[in-house]
Amino acid sequence: FGQFQDVLEVVPQEDLLGIGFRNSTEAFAVGKKGVIKRISSNGEALNIASGVSHDLYDIYFFDELNGIIAGATGSSGSHSLRTNDGGLTWSTLDDVSGTIIAKINATTAIIAQNAGGYSFMKTTDKGASWTEFSTDFPQFFSFPSFHFVNENLGFIIGSTFESESKSYVTQIYKSIDKG
C-alpha cells in the first residue's frame, strides 16, 4: 500500500470539505464558513479570501487559471465561485449553487445540488456561463457522488426512500449524453 505523509495541520481546526488540484504542485482546499486554502507541495498553506461566509463543498480546476467551487445557497443568494487567475481571486457565480462537481471534459462540468432537493447546472465554457437542466430522478432522490468516465458516459449513485418498506433503496443511474 502507498504511504501518506502529514503535510498540513490546520490550527485552529477548520472543517475542510473538498480538495482540488490546480497543477501537480498546488492544491486548494475548501470548507465551512467560506474557507479556501492554497496548499503547496511542501505543505505550506495560505488563506485565500472567498468573499462568502457559507459552506464551500467541492473544487475543480479546468486548467492552470480557470476553476470553480461548489458552494451552498444562503440567505444572500447562491455562493458557488469562479476564478480565472489561478485561484488568487474568486468571484460569486449568480444563481449557481451546489455540493458536488463532476468534470466532463476540459471546458465542461456540472455542479449538482444535493441538499433539500436536487438541481443541476452545466457549464461548457470553464464556468463563465451556466445552464440549469432537469432530470427524471425520483422526487426524494439523494446522491453522494457522481462521476463521468469520458465526455459522454457518467454515473450517479444515490438512494430514494420507499415509504411502503420504510427503507432506502440504492440506485445507480447512467448518462450517455454528457448529463
Side-chain angles (χ1 to χ4, degrees):
F1 292 104
Q3 295 182 0
F4 287 89
Q5 176 184 351
D6 185 7
V7 294
L8 177 64
E9 184 175 336
V10 180
V11 178
Q13 179 180 348
E14 293 175 315
D15 292 325
L16 300 175
L17 303 173
I19 190 165
F21 293 87
R22 187 173 79 89
N23 55 39
S24 62
T25 61
E26 190 173 69
F28 282 74
V30 297
K32 294 201 173 191
K33 299 181 181 176
V35 169
I36 302 175
K37 291 193 175 292
R38 187 173 73 195
I39 306 164
S40 66
S41 60
N42 65 4
E44 292 180 24
L46 176 65
N47 289 325
I48 304 292
S50 69
V52 299
S53 59
H54 291 80
D55 296 347
L56 303 174
Y57 294 96
D58 201 0
I59 182 168
Y60 170 70
F61 278 88
F62 294 97
D63 54 38
E64 291 270 333
L65 296 175
N66 297 284
I68 53 176
I69 294 174
T73 299
S75 59
S76 60
S78 298
H79 294 293
S80 290
L81 305 173
R82 176 177 186 252
T83 184
N84 60 8
D85 62 9
L88 298 175
T89 61
W90 294 86
S91 58
T92 302
L93 293 168
D94 292 333
D95 301 320
V96 178
S97 64
T99 54
I100 305 170
I101 300 171
K103 170 193 168 193
I104 296 178
N105 61 35
T107 60
T108 305
I110 295 172
I111 289 182
Q113 174 71 32
N114 188 25
Y118 57 84
S119 65
F120 296 90
M121 301 290 291
K122 185 176 187 177
T123 182
T124 58
D125 55 9
K126 299 182 181 181
S129 63
W130 293 84
T131 305
E132 185 171 11
F133 67 96
S134 61
T135 66
D136 57 357
F137 292 133
Q139 181 179 0
F140 298 106
F141 187 70
S142 172
F143 55 94
S145 178
F146 73 119
H147 180 77
F148 279 80
V149 177
N150 58 42
E151 287 195 25
N152 293 309
L153 181 61
F155 293 92
I156 294 179
I157 186 168
S159 61
T160 55
F161 184 76
E162 287 192 350
S163 57
E164 189 175 302
S165 64
K166 296 183 181 176
S167 63
Y168 285 91
V169 175
T170 300
Q171 297 166 296
I172 298 175
Y173 287 87
K174 177 174 82 171
S175 171
I176 57 171
D177 62 359
K178 299 182 184 180

